[in-house]
């Protein structure tokens, strides 16, 4: 049975990899990787395929960047061609990026069933493009795999039938735990030496949400706060292409103190090593809220809401605002931060559960 696994942007790759390998082991499935090309820089895409030991994608749709309508429509046109040619038994989509929605709509209109991995997350903030992608993808999916029980409740509230929803845990943890298992002291020390840091002596920063980086006033204010923070603690700040473009466009000074490091985006293994050894993290990413919860690293999330409330309820995550962000950082430096536990079924076995369910569902 041919199964299309659709990825497009960086956070998709570590969610797809474990399912690809699990399907490869099964006698029933031929997994076929379709990469829409939403992310195309070497560091945003190919480096992740290498670190996750994935083969080259079977199909690369070369959609690239653009407005939401441009990007979504380019992906739909190209993906339709592939679906008509391959006639898969199932299309699997991951997360909440534009590629997720574009390929779900395309498949559904060709009467191909869809499985959505990471279904049911909701920020209830429709100014986020991801929220629209999540809701619409879930509305037309045939099998919905959720990472946490709150996601099941969200889906039921939206009228999705219970027999379509499967709580399987967080698939990203499958990739994360595998990378952590393969790290030894020597490998960790090599990465830390490359960034000239000792464990727990720095703060790992990432920012890329349009809300934080697309407005000059907000971005300038965040960077000014980070400049202050860098007087107290070294920062490592891998810069997303969206953020980099805007810092250049607005002419914002990023000369942080304390030998802080601004770098290009990092490959998966290096980033996870830095995350595992960080004192704490400042982020607006969804995935990092989850990874830090799994790793037990305090996380300050610069957002008014999160679609991943379990990272706050059970994990190490805390939402911060532009107003209280510097105080929260000072608290963290003084050791006042949240402790947490690993949520249920974030155990590295989510892909196994998904394959078992798909086998039954298809038969
Ligand atoms: C996308 C996802 C977001 C996810 C993020 C992770 C959507 C709506 N957003 O946001 O949910 O958290 O990926 O990174 O799908 N660019 C490059 N090289 C690349 C890719 C992008 O330079 O390889 C630049 C382009 O200028 C582009 C901009 O980054 O216009 C934004 O890329 P885009 O894919 O539109 O959204 P992200 O901000 O990356």
């Amino acid at each position: 049975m041919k199964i299309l696994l659709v990825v497009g942007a960086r956070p998709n790759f570590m969610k797809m990899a474990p399912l690809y390998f699990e399907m490869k082991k099964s006698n029933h499935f031929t997994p076929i990787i379709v990469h829409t090309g939403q992310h195309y820089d070497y560091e945003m895409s190919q480096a992740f395929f290498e670190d996750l030991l994935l083969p080259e994608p079977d199909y690369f749709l070369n959609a690239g960047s653009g407005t939401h309508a441009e990007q979504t429509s380019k992906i739909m046109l190209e993906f339709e061609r592939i679906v008509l040619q391959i006639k898969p038994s199932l299309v699997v989509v991951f997360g909440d990026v534009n590629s997720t929605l574009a390929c779900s709509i395309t498949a559904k209109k060709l009467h191909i069933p869809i499985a959505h991995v990471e279904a049911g997350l909701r920020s209830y903030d429709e100014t986020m493009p991801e929220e629209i992608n999540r809701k619409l993808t879930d509305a037309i999916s045939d099998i919905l795999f959720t990472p946490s029980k709150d996601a099941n409740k969200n889906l039921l509230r939206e009228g999705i039938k219970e027999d379509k929803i499967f709580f399987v845990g967080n698939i990203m943890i499958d990739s994360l735990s595998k990378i952590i298992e393969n790290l030894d002291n020597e490998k960790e020390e090599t990465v830390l030496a490359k960034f000239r840091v000792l464990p727990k002596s720095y703060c790992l920063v990432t920012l890329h949400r349009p809300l934080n980086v697309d407005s000059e006033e907000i971005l300038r204010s965040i960077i000014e706060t980070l400049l202050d923070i860098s007087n107290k603690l070294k920062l490592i700040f891998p810069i997303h292409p969206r953020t980099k473009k805007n810092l250049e466009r607005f002419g914002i000074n990023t000369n942080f103190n304390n030998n802080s490091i601004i770098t290009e985006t990092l490959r998966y293994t290096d980033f996870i090593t830095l995350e595992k050894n960080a004192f704490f993290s400042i982020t607006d990413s969804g995935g990092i809220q989850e990874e830090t919860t799994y790793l037990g690293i305090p996380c300050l999330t610069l957002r008014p809401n999160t679609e991943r409330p379990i990272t706050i309820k059970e994990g190490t995550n805390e939402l911060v605002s532009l107003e209280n962000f510097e105080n929260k950082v000072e608290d963290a430096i003084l050791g006042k931060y949240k402790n947490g536990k690993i949520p249920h079924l974030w155990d590295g076995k989510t892909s196994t559960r998904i394959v078992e369910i798909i086998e039954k569902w298809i038969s």
Side-chain angles (χ1 to χ4, degrees), residues 11 38-41 65 71 97-98 130 208 240-242 245:
Q38 177 175 346
H39 284 173
Y40 44 85
D41 286 354
S65 303
Q71 193 174 57
V97 302
N98 286 346
E130 293 84 358
H208 74 281
H240 187 279
R242 175 187 282 276
K245 207 165 72 177

Side-chain angles (χ1 to χ4, degrees), residues 5-7 9-24 31-35 45-58 94 175 178-179 267-268:
L5 303 179
V6 176
V7 289
R10 185 173 57 174
N12 291 156
F13 307 137
M14 56 291 259
K15 294 170 194 163
M16 178 270 286
L19 194 55
Y20 171 81
F21 292 116
E22 203 60 35
M23 284 192 168
K24 270 279 189 201
I32 298 169
I33 301 177
V34 181
H35 186 328
S45 175
Q46 203 182 325
F48 279 75
F49 272 68
E50 289 169 9
D51 282 12
L52 291 160
L53 306 176
L54 285 165
E56 300 249 312
D58 296 282
F94 300 85
S175 284
K178 200 163 145 199
I179 290 276
R267 53 192 309 143
Y268 190 48

Side-chain angles (χ1 to χ4, degrees), residues 242-350:
R242 175 187 282 276
T243 312
K244 186 177 177 201
K245 207 165 72 177
N246 289 337
L247 287 170
E248 286 166 4
R249 186 155 63 101
F250 303 142
I252 296 176
N253 160 28
T254 49
N255 290 328
F256 299 123
N257 296 322
N258 240 323
N259 298 320
S260 292
I261 295 180
I262 293 220
T263 152
E264 298 291 311
T265 50
L266 300 174
R267 53 192 309 143
Y268 190 48
T269 316
D270 284 5
F271 188 82
I272 296 299
T273 307
L274 288 174
E275 199 175 18
K276 176 170 178 271
N277 287 285
F279 181 9
F280 61 94
S281 162
I282 297 172
T283 194
D284 59 11
S285 143
I288 294 171
Q289 296 173 54
E290 297 180 331
E291 287 166 357
T292 47
T293 274
Y294 180 79
L295 295 168
I297 304 296
C299 180
L300 301 177
T301 298
L302 194 50
R303 281 181 47 188
N305 50 51
T306 178
E307 59 291 329
R308 294 161 161 91
I310 197 162
T311 59
I312 296 179
K313 201 166 155 226
E314 296 189 14
T316 54
N317 188 25
E318 236 182 302
L319 296 182
V320 297
S321 64
L322 276 182
E323 290 71 38
N324 71 3
F325 158 45
E326 198 163 359
N327 287 343
K328 287 286 183 184
V329 167
E330 273 164 19
D331 283 353
I333 292 175
L334 293 172
K336 288 190 236 162
Y337 46 72
K338 273 187 75 201
N339 289 311
K341 61 170 187 173
I342 297 177
H344 185 43
L345 297 191
W346 292 25
D347 59 359
K349 295 180 186 133
T350 294

